[in-house]
Amino acid sequence: MSTPVLELSGISKNFGAVQALNQVDLTVSAGEVVALLGDNGAGKSTLVKVIAGVNPADSGDVLFEGQQVSINRPADAQRLGIATIYQDLALCDNLDIVANLFLGVEKTAFGALDEVEMERRALKLLDSLSVKMPSLRVPVASLSGGQRQIIAIARSLLGEPKVVLLDEPTAALGVAQTAQVLDLIERLRDRGLGVILISHNMADVRAVADRAAVLRLGRNAGDFNVEETSYEQIVAAITGASDNPVSRRSERTPATRTEEA
Amino acid sequence: MAQQTPVSNDTANDAPVAQDPRLIVTRTTPAGILATLRRRIRGGELGPLPVIVGLILICVVFQLLHERFLSPQNLSNLTVQVAAVGLMTTGVIMVLLLGEIDLSIGSVAGAASAVLAVLAVRVGIPEWGAIAAAAGAGLVIGILHGTIFAKIGVPAFVVTLAGLLGWQGVQLQLLGSDGTVNISDTGAIAALTHTYFVPSFGWGIAVVAVGVFVAFTLVGERRRAAAGLVAMSPLEIAVRSLALAVPVFGSVYVLNQYKGVPLAFLIFVGFVVAFDLMLRKTRYGRMVFAVGGGAEAARRAGINVDLIRISVFGLASMLSAMGGILLVSRSFSASLDTGAGEELMMAIAAAVIGGTSLFGGRGNAYSALLGGLVLGAITSGLYLLQMGTPVRFMITALVLLIAVTLDAMSRRSRRVHARGG
Ligand SMILES: Nc1ncnc2c1ncn2[C@@H]1O[C@H](COP(=O)(O)OP(=O)(O)OP(=O)(O)O)[C@@H](O)[C@H]1O
Ligand SMILES: [Mg+2]
């Protein structure tokens, strides 16, 4: 984790009268998992969309592998090697699993779609992630929420990315699938990718993240080494006060003072 | 990955992946194909089945009511009659796949017919040049619609409603006070709908079409099998080939009984096949479906959504213009009401009856052929029975309503399935 692969500085983004991001900095190195934390509406998804080129920033600098880059469209981010798993609207419901996996990066042979090659690689990819799907040729509209999330994550890995952004990837998943996704994230780190993980689940964050960057009301509110920081410190940064609903609650009920809700 | 692979799964990494036990594999035996069919009917994924059954039913009923309905002459006329609106339907299907609507197709056809006649007759340029210019005008018009829709964000419904009015104005303006421009009945324009091919040519086309289909299916399925994927059994390939060969050879046989395969029908079918291949087999087609199924997801996947939208509207209007050209060809004239009648309604109705969803992202180019034939058969049958437009409109409305109901029902059943997690 020497040189940062992605380095953001002074990122600001307005939506009309709402300043969703205000002078935000964030770095992630190769082989590092950074948890991006913050309450609802803190600006986490907005920051992810800035990095992914979905909603370009109003101002601020982006360095990718030390080079100044501008990311104005999703294609720019893809070209750089930034893959994103969005919280919402990630898949085309009418297309089947294979088509969704290869959306935008379809394989062709002689100008026509190479369905055989795509299906073969899709099977192999899902198999390498230990993912089982009844059929790869059903529209994703018919999949469960967890299955859809897995497909969205698997898709981001096809392009051999250098940085992976995951916006609440485990929010809708069952126990086993959550563990699977966390395994997956560790495997990405071991392969030397930079991972930015958004999650409200502190147990997940503790399990896989190296650093935790906290946003509050669109501003940086702390950057912690997860191993050396207590749960309370991070929660205080997220809520902005040592006297906050979480600590008040844990004082009332000491038995629940664990990281898992 | 090792710790999660179930012990029972003994496939090596490169070997074909074992099928999931939840997957109901029923493709190989005749009984299996039947079972798949039954499951699809229950699940609301009917594909072209309802419209094919409907078409057969319509033909049987009209033949019982009038013995000349299935005569080669009547069927031949029918294929020429459906070609013009059929091209317009093919364009509408592209727009419907995006989840949008194009109300301007009739007016664009009218404007293109005026451009064609004025250039060919009043200006006097060669007829082929006029045909190309009219089609080109359609393309430009569509790109204009698409740009206003995609870049400025005006709803397509409104943009093309303005087009409906505006391009009809252009048509009236171009044709001027006389209102009608007659074209040569021996030129290239007239030839488009008055040319019939000798029987051997028709057979040749049928053999090539079916042969290419069988060859590509065989090669494709062998590749699938070689890659360890589920492939069609030889029986299924045979059934599918037969399902194509019977109507193709049957049509050529019947059409050859009269004057031969009409050029106009061949143009129509050619465009349908070309657009079908484009939609199903190319990256462009995949992107059209993606935008129709989820524009935001498509955008995030790096697809240039604006470009797809603009190009689809461009293609749709170009096909409308070609429909207008065939209208002129059939009547030997461009007039004030070319394209101004029921063409718009019939083109959209044909697309929906053929099985293309109004809700975007679902459908295929063959809807134009199937839906067009259904409407053409109704028109032709009622004409033989000497029943006029009132009855035809009512029957067409009923058929359309049935088609839309099926569409809405299958959409709802898919949405219920989607509520899994
Ligand atoms: N497209 C938009 N238009 C207007 N305001 C927006 C838009 N997207 C986000 N916002 C606003 O920006 C702020 C940050 O939203 P964001 O979605 O980034 O929060 P978040 O940290 O991801 O929250 P959550 O944990 O609930 O996902 C919110 O106040 C939100 O209302
Ligand atoms: Mg969010």
Side-chain angles (χ1 to χ4, degrees):
Chain A
M1 29 195 95
S2 44
T3 51
V5 57
L6 182 69
E7 197 168 359
L8 308 175
S9 50
I11 300 288
S12 297
K13 174 78 189 174
N14 294 351
F15 290 110
V18 180
Q19 179 131 39
L21 295 175
N22 188 352
Q23 296 290 322
V24 172
D25 303 335
L26 182 73
T27 60
V28 58
S29 302
E32 183 186 40
V33 178
V34 177
L36 185 58
L37 304 176
D39 261 338
N40 295 122
K44 306 180 298 293
S45 298
T46 306
L47 187 59
V48 163
K49 286 174 188 171
V50 164
I51 301 172
V54 171
N55 290 326
D58 298 333
S59 63
D61 292 322
V62 182
L63 295 184
F64 190 81
E65 296 183 317
Q67 303 282 319
Q68 175 98 34
V69 293
S70 62
I71 303 175
N72 296 315
R73 290 175 304 136
D76 296 340
Q78 275 174 6
R79 216 173 10 252
L80 289 170
I82 300 173
T84 313
I85 294 98
Y86 298 97
Q87 190 172 7
D88 54 354
L89 300 172
L91 303 176
C92 287
D93 277 345
N94 59 329
L95 299 181
D96 64 28
I97 293 176
V98 177
N100 266 293
L101 283 176
F102 286 89
L103 194 58
V105 291
E106 293 86 357
K107 299 272 164 264
T108 56
F110 309 108
L113 291 174
D114 192 346
E115 298 284 359
V116 175
E117 176 65 11
M118 288 195 279
E119 188 165 339
R120 200 181 58 77
R121 289 185 43 175
L123 267 177
K124 223 168 150 180
L125 174 73
L126 294 180
D127 199 45
S128 79
L129 303 177
S130 304
V131 175
K132 291 269 171 280
M133 292 286 165
S135 162
L136 296 189
R137 290 300 181 183
V138 296
V140 297
S142 65
L143 300 183
S144 78
Q147 287 173 319
R148 294 165 62 95
Q149 189 64 276
I150 296 268
I151 296 303
I153 295 174
R155 176 168 91 190
S156 69
L157 301 180
L158 271 176
E160 306 282 326
K162 294 184 175 127
V163 175
V164 178
L165 314 174
L166 300 115
D167 194 351
E168 303 197 27
T170 59
L173 299 194
V175 184
Q177 279 158 324
T178 298
Q180 227 174 34
V181 170
L182 296 181
D183 279 354
L184 203 58
I185 291 172
E186 283 179 341
R187 233 174 291 146
L188 299 182
R189 172 176 53 197
D190 297 343
R191 278 197 220 169
L193 306 189
V195 179
I196 298 177
L197 166 71
I198 296 181
S199 178
H200 288 292
N201 186 332
M202 291 302 286
D204 290 359
V205 172
R206 276 228 175 278
V208 294
D210 303 303
R211 273 196 305 121
V214 178
L215 287 185
R216 197 164 64 78
L217 304 177
R219 293 169 187 270
N220 284 109
D223 194 331
F224 305 97
N225 183 318
V226 172
E227 297 236 307
E228 299 161 2
T229 314
S230 74
Y231 172 62
E232 286 76 12
Q233 274 173 294
I234 294 180
V235 169
I238 291 174
T239 56
S242 52
D243 176 38
N244 58 58
V246 183
S247 61
R248 279 200 300 276
R249 178 174 166 77
S250 39
E251 273 155 30
R252 278 200 314 275
T253 54
T256 62
R257 250 186 87 184
T258 59
E259 290 164 7
E260 286 167 271
Chain B
M1 69 192 82
Q3 74 259 38
Q4 272 161 1
T5 311
V7 263
S8 62
N9 187 349
D10 55 1
T11 46
N13 231 354
D14 268 335
V17 181
Q19 285 304 314
D20 189 290
R22 285 167 296 184
L23 177 60
I24 310 160
V25 187
T26 45
R27 304 183 67 175
T28 32
T29 64
I33 294 170
L34 263 184
T36 308
L37 199 66
R38 210 171 307 136
R39 202 171 58 242
R40 282 196 171 183
I41 290 174
R42 220 171 296 142
E45 316 159 34
L46 294 162
L49 201 66
V51 57
I52 291 175
V53 170
L55 186 58
I56 293 172
L57 219 67
I58 289 168
C59 290
V60 168
V61 169
F62 278 126
Q63 178 64 22
L64 290 177
L65 293 175
H66 197 292
E67 80 280 7
R68 275 217 331 275
F69 180 77
L70 288 180
S71 68
Q73 179 180 1
N74 192 48
L75 291 180
S76 176
N77 290 342
L78 196 157
T79 61
V80 178
Q81 278 155 12
V82 299
V85 173
L87 286 182
M88 297 161 72
T89 308
T90 313
V92 167
I93 285 168
M94 296 287 292
V95 177
L96 289 181
L97 284 178
L98 285 186
E100 303 297 337
I101 189 101
D102 188 344
L103 298 178
S104 70
I105 47 180
S107 296
V108 171
S113 73
V115 168
L116 175 77
V118 167
L119 284 180
V121 178
R122 293 213 189 130
V123 180
I125 71 169
E127 292 203 344
W128 279 113
I131 291 173
L139 183 65
V140 171
I141 289 171
I143 289 174
L144 183 66
H145 291 165
T147 307
I148 296 173
F149 161 59
K151 291 290 183 192
I152 305 179
V154 182
F157 171 80
V158 180
V159 177
T160 57
L161 186 62
L164 167 73
L165 211 62
W167 302 117
Q168 194 171 6
V170 169
Q171 176 186 8
L172 303 184
Q173 184 75 41
L174 280 176
L175 292 174
S177 48
D178 349 335
T180 303
V181 178
N182 294 315
I183 57 154
S184 150
D185 56 5
T186 53
I189 299 172
L192 287 174
T193 54
H194 297 92
T195 303
Y196 295 81
F197 291 110
V198 293
S200 56
F201 185 85
W203 289 121
I205 290 204
V207 168
V208 169
V210 174
V212 166
F213 173 82
V214 172
F216 270 80
T217 309
L218 280 176
V219 170
E221 293 307 307
R222 186 159 316 155
R223 273 194 70 205
R224 288 184 64 88
L229 305 174
V230 181
M232 281 189 237
S233 66
L235 178 72
E236 191 175 356
I237 296 178
V239 169
R240 277 169 186 258
S241 304
L242 218 62
L244 178 72
V246 168
V248 168
F249 282 100
S251 315
V252 171
Y253 174 78
V254 171
L255 293 171
N256 279 347
Q257 301 288 302
Y258 185 55
K259 291 182 183 170
V261 175
L263 173 62
F265 190 54
L266 209 59
I267 292 174
F268 173 33
V269 174
F271 269 99
V272 167
V273 171
F275 272 73
D276 177 64
L277 292 177
M278 183 179 80
L279 283 172
R280 286 190 305 119
K281 303 283 184 193
T282 70
R283 291 195 66 190
Y284 176 76
R286 180 60 50 83
M287 291 177 192
V288 171
F289 275 101
V291 172
E296 186 57 23
R299 191 167 82 92
R300 291 178 187 178
I303 292 172
N304 188 337
V305 174
D306 288 352
L307 193 66
I308 297 290
R309 286 178 166 158
I310 293 170
S311 63
V312 163
F313 274 86
L315 286 176
S317 291
M318 191 179 76
L319 284 166
S320 299
M322 292 177 176
I325 295 169
L326 291 193
L327 289 175
V328 175
S329 169
R330 271 193 69 211
S331 60
F332 300 111
S333 69
S335 69
L336 295 178
D337 48 37
T338 303
E342 62 198 41
E343 285 87 355
L344 165 67
M345 291 181 300
M346 290 303 159
I348 295 177
V352 176
I353 290 170
T356 291
S357 173
L358 282 173
F359 304 108
R362 249 170 14 91
N364 54 66
Y366 287 112
S367 310
L369 186 59
L370 292 171
L373 286 177
V374 166
L375 293 186
I378 294 173
T379 307
S380 160
L382 293 177
Y383 178 79
L384 285 180
L385 297 175
Q386 296 178 346
M387 291 201 245
T389 307
V391 181
R392 183 163 62 88
F393 276 9
M394 287 188 278
I395 292 183
T396 305
L398 197 69
V399 174
L400 178 63
L401 210 57
I402 294 171
V404 178
T405 308
L406 283 177
D407 179 23
M409 266 164 46
S410 79
R411 173 182 151 91
R412 207 178 52 186
S413 94
R414 274 194 319 280
R415 273 226 302 246
V416 170
H417 285 308
R419 291 271 176 268

